[in-house]
Amino acid sequence: MSDTTPAVEPHRYTADLAAEIESRWQDEWEKRGTFHAPNPTGPLGDPDGSADRPKAYVMDMFPYPSGAGLHVGHPLGYIATDVYSRYLRMTGHNVLHTLGYDAFGLPAEQYAVQTGTHPRVTTEANIANMRQQLRRLGLGHDSRRSVSTIDPGYYKWTQWIFLQIFNSWYDESAGRARPIAELVEQFAAGTRETPDGRPWSRLSAAERSSVLDDFRLAYAKQAPVNWCPGLGTVLANEEVTADGRSERGNFPVFRANLRQWMMRITAYADRLLGDLDLLDWPEAIKLQQRNWIGRSEGARVDFAVDGHDERITVFTTRPDTLFGATYMVLAPEHGLVDTVVADAWPEGVPGVWTGGAATPAEAVAAYRKQAQSKSDVERQTEGKDKTGVFTGAHAVNPVTGKRIPVFIADYVLMGYGTGAIMAVPGQDERDWEFAEAFELPIVRTVEPPEGWEGEAFTGQGPAINSANDEISLNGLAVGEAKQRITEWLEARGIGEGTVNYRLRDWLFSRQRYWGEPFPIVYDEEGVPHALPDSMLPVELPEIEDYSPRTFDPDDADTSPETPLSRNEEWVEATLDLGDGPKKYRRETNTMPNWAGSCWYELRYLDPENTEQVVDPAVEEYWMGPKAPGGSGGVDLYVGGAEHAVLHLLYARFWHKVLFDLGHVSSKEPFHRLFNQGMIQAYVYRDSRGFPVPAAEVEERDGKFFHQGEQVKRELGKMGKSLKNAVTPDEICAEYGADTLRLYEMAMGPLDVSRPWDTRAVIGSYRFLQRLWRNVVDESTGEVVVTDDEPDEATLRALHKTIDGVRADMEGLRFNTAIAKATELNNHLTKAGSVPRSVAEPLVLLVAPLAPHIAEELWRKLGHETSLVHEPFPVADPALVQDEAVTCVVQIKGKVKARLEVPPSISDSELEALALADAAVQSALGGADIRKVVVRAPKLVNIVPA
RNA sequence: GUCCCGGUAGCCCAAAGGCAGAGGCGAUGGUCUCAAACACCAUUCAGUGUGGGUUCGAAUCCCACUCGGGACACCA
C-alpha cells in the first residue's frame, strides 16, 4: 500500500502546514497581547508605550453579525486595514485597530423571528461565529476594544448621548449647541422672550416643556412620517428609496401623521456641508452628502391672498422671475389649503381646473384623498403628468398686482421649502407642463437666445417683461436681477434672501423590539422627562413576544404598535426623579439601528470607562486635530459606499453635538474615508432564469453547463440566494489564511469591484510556497539561506523592491506591492541560492500581507521575537537605480535603437551618443534634423525636418 | 433625463505624456512520475471600446459617440 501513497515532502508549505502555523501564531499573538494598543492614560493606559511613537487610528465599518455567515467578499476591507495597520506598526506607529459589532436592528430581529429564537441568543451566537471566522484570518485586532452595540455597558452610553442631545439646543447666534439649561436661564431671566410673550414663571410645566421641545436637538413631535406597514415601523427619509419603498425589504412606504422622535440634524446643515472641505474623502461621497443636504440660495416671498389675512409664503431660487409668476401651487397637505379654499367656483372657471367637482372644497378633498391613497411608487410610475385642482382662491403677485389662481398639486412637495411655490412657467419646465395642461398664461421674463424653440428657458439671459412703476429688472443678468428684486422685497417687508436645505430632521424612533430603549419617561400629564444619568442604562426588557406587529404591506390605513408597550410591568414605573417617588410611563419606541454606529469610534478608544463616554485625554490622543483648525478624527476609515448618506451623515451629526458640548476635541469622526470595491461573483442561471449552484457548473469551449444543461453566466453579487457564495473557511481549508489574504489583496486595486475566481487563488499559494522554499528545505526542514553576499543584480532588485513596496503600502496599492514582492521572490528562485541578507528583508516585506508564514520564517531564520514591531526595510537610494539603463532612441516617436547608458548620463552626452548610433544614422538616411528631445537617461526622440 | 466612475492579452490586472507588460490565472510544450496530481522550466496572446483633436511623442490630456457599473431624479 505504501507505494501508492504520494510522497509529499514532509516540510512542504501545504494547507495542513499553513493551518498549523496559522493557529499557532494566532494563539501566540493572543497570549502576548501583541495587538494591544496602549492609551496615554486610563485602564488601557501605558504612557511608556505610546509616548514616543506617532499614533494611527485605523477603522473598518463594523459588521452586522449576519446569521448566514461570511463569504469571501466580507473580509476584503478588514484584510486591507489589517495589512495597512501591520505596515504602520512596522514603521513605528502606535496603531489602534479593532472590530466591534453593530448588532441591534431589523435584520437581527427578522432572523430571530424566523428561527423562533430570542434575538439576543441568535445575535450573540452570530457574533461568536463571526469572531471565529475572522480570527482564522489573522486580523491583528485589539480584542479588548471589540465592543458590541447590544451590550448594556455600551448602550448605556448610546442613551447617555441621546440625553446630551435631548438636553441641548442650537444657539444660532453662537453657531453651536448649548445645554438646554442655559436656554431656561435666558427665559427665566427674561433676556429671551417666550413665544407668546408671557413671563416664563407664568407658564405651566407642560407649557414650558412644549416651548423647550421646539428648541431641543431631540424632540418628539406629531409630523408626517414614513410609515411602512410591511415592516411595522416608521422610517427615516434616508431609509426610503427614491421610488417610495423601504430600503430594507422593498415594501411600500406611506405618509402618516404620527408622534415620533426626531433629531434636529437640520440645525447642523451648514456645518455638515462646510466641514466636508476638511475631510479626505472620495469626491463621490462628498458629492452625495452635498446633494442630500441640498443647500440652495434664494428668497422667501410672501403673497397676499385675495379676501384673506393669511399670506402664502414661498421659497424660490429664482426671485428674478417674479414678474412671470402667473399662478401658485400649494402641496396637497399644506396647512393653508383649508383656510383659503373658496366656497364656490368663480364665474367662468375652466372645466379642467375643477376636477369635475361641484365646489372647490369637494375638488380639494377628492384630490387629497387620491394623492394620499397613492403610495409614492404609484405616483412615480404614473409618470410626471401634472395633476392638480384649483382651490377657488386667488393670490396677488406683489410686483404685477395681478390676481393669480392658487392650485394644489402633488408636484409640489410638503417636505421641501415651504410646501408652496410661485409658478413661473416661462422659466421652469415643471411649471410649463402644468401651465399647458391647465391652460394658464405664460410670461417669459428671461430672454431666450435667438432661435430658441424650446419651452421653459432655464438658462442665463437678460430679464424682460419685468418692470413696474417702482422697479425694473429689464436688461439685467439673472444674478443681478436676483439681487435687485431681493433688496426690493426686503425693503417692502414681503420677502428676504434665504437659504433652504433639502435635508430634513432625522426621524429617530422605531416600533421594533431589538433596539436601544429611550431613556425617557412620561408623567401623568404626558410631559416627557429625561432620566438622570444614574438610572442608565435603561435595559431592554426580556419579553415573550418580541415580534413586530406588521401589516399588509399595501394597507396605508394601519398604525404602528411598539412591542415594548405589550409589557405593562416594564412600562409602568415608579421613580424618584428628584421630587419624590411618582408614577411614570416609559417611552416604548426604540432607537434605530444607526444609533449604535453613530459613536462607536469613540468607544473603541476607551471601552472600559464606566465614568465617561470617553476620557478626553484619550480622545485627544487618538482623534484630536493634528493642526489648529483641522478636523481631527479617525486616520483611515474603510467601508462600502452604500453608507454615503446614512451612517456617515448621522455619525458626523452626533460627533458635532459632542464637540459643541465639549466632550470631544475632534470636529469630525472620520478624517480619511476609503471605499473598498465589491468582490463580485459569476451567477449561472438555467433556462428558467433560476440560479444554479456555481460550484457545479462546468466550462466547455467558452460555454457553461450545469448537469448537462447549458446555463447563462452573468456577473453579480456574491450570496446564498444566487448560489455563488464562497466562504473564507473553504479557502482557508484548501490553501490557508495567508493565501486567502494575499489573493484578496492581489486581485486588483482596493477601490475597484472585481469578480472572484477560485481557480486563480492557487497563484497566491504558489507564491507562498516559493517563498517558503527559498528559506526552508522541503525534505529536511533545514534553513537553506546562505551567509554569502548577494550579487549586484540581486542587491539592486532587493532595494528596488523595498522602495516600490513601501510606496505601494503607503498608497494602499497592495496589488502592485504583491507583484513587486513576487518579482523579487521569482528572482531568488531562479538564482538558486538565497543570501540571508535578502531573505530577511523579503520576509519583512511580505509580513503585513501574509503575517503567519512571515512570523514562522522569521523564527526559522533565528529570531526569538515576533516581527510585528520589527522595522520595515528601508531602501538604499543608491541601489534603487540600475547600474545601466536602456535608453530608447526614437525617430518621430518610433523606436529605432537602444543604448545601454549609465543612469547619470547628461542630456548632451546622450544626444551625441544617440546621433552617433549606426542604426539611427541609417534610419535617418542623411535627413536634416529639426529637433531632438532628450529625456536622460531613458529616451531620445529625433524629429527629422 | 442629469451627474460620477470605468473599458489594456481568453480572464483578473500593471504601466510620473516617453520601449504597451510588473504580477497572477488559463492554454500549450517540456522536466519529474509506471501513470497522474503537485511542483519546476519554457512558450503563447493585445497595440489599449470607436472616431476626432492637442503634442516631437497619447493607454495616459481634450471633445464627441458607444458599452458596462454606480448615484440622483417633479427639491421650486
Side-chain angles (χ1 to χ4, degrees), chain A residues 485-534:
Chain A
I485 191 72
T486 305
E487 284 164 11
W488 188 83
L489 290 165
E490 281 173 2
R492 309 261 306 208
I494 54 171
E496 62 178 340
T498 141
V499 173
N500 189 58
Y501 294 95
R502 194 183 92 116
L503 182 70
R504 319 288 352 137
D505 277 346
W506 173 20
L507 193 154
F508 192 70
S509 42
R510 299 290 182 277
Q511 292 74 48
R512 305 289 294 209
Y513 170 71
W514 194 232
E516 300 88 347
F518 281 74
I520 293 285
V521 293
Y522 297 91
D523 65 23
E524 283 166 343
E525 290 176 67
V527 174
H529 294 266
L531 292 175
D533 293 355
S534 60

Side-chain angles (χ1 to χ4, degrees), chain A residues 858-916:
Chain A
W858 191 245
R859 176 147 304 176
K860 283 192 180 292
L861 286 164
H863 300 276
E864 301 283 326
T865 56
S866 160
L867 50 59
V868 164
H869 294 102
E870 201 65 28
F872 205 72
V874 180
D876 177 348
L879 294 169
V880 169
Q881 266 192 326
D882 282 322
E883 231 176 339
V885 296
T886 305
C887 173
V888 199
V889 186
Q890 300 176 335
I891 294 176
K892 281 192 76 180
K894 302 279 179 274
V895 179
K896 296 293 176 186
R898 291 184 170 81
L899 307 168
E900 290 296 314
V901 298
S904 57
I905 193 166
S906 72
D907 281 7
S908 53
E909 272 180 281
L910 189 59
E911 179 175 341
L913 217 54
L915 290 171

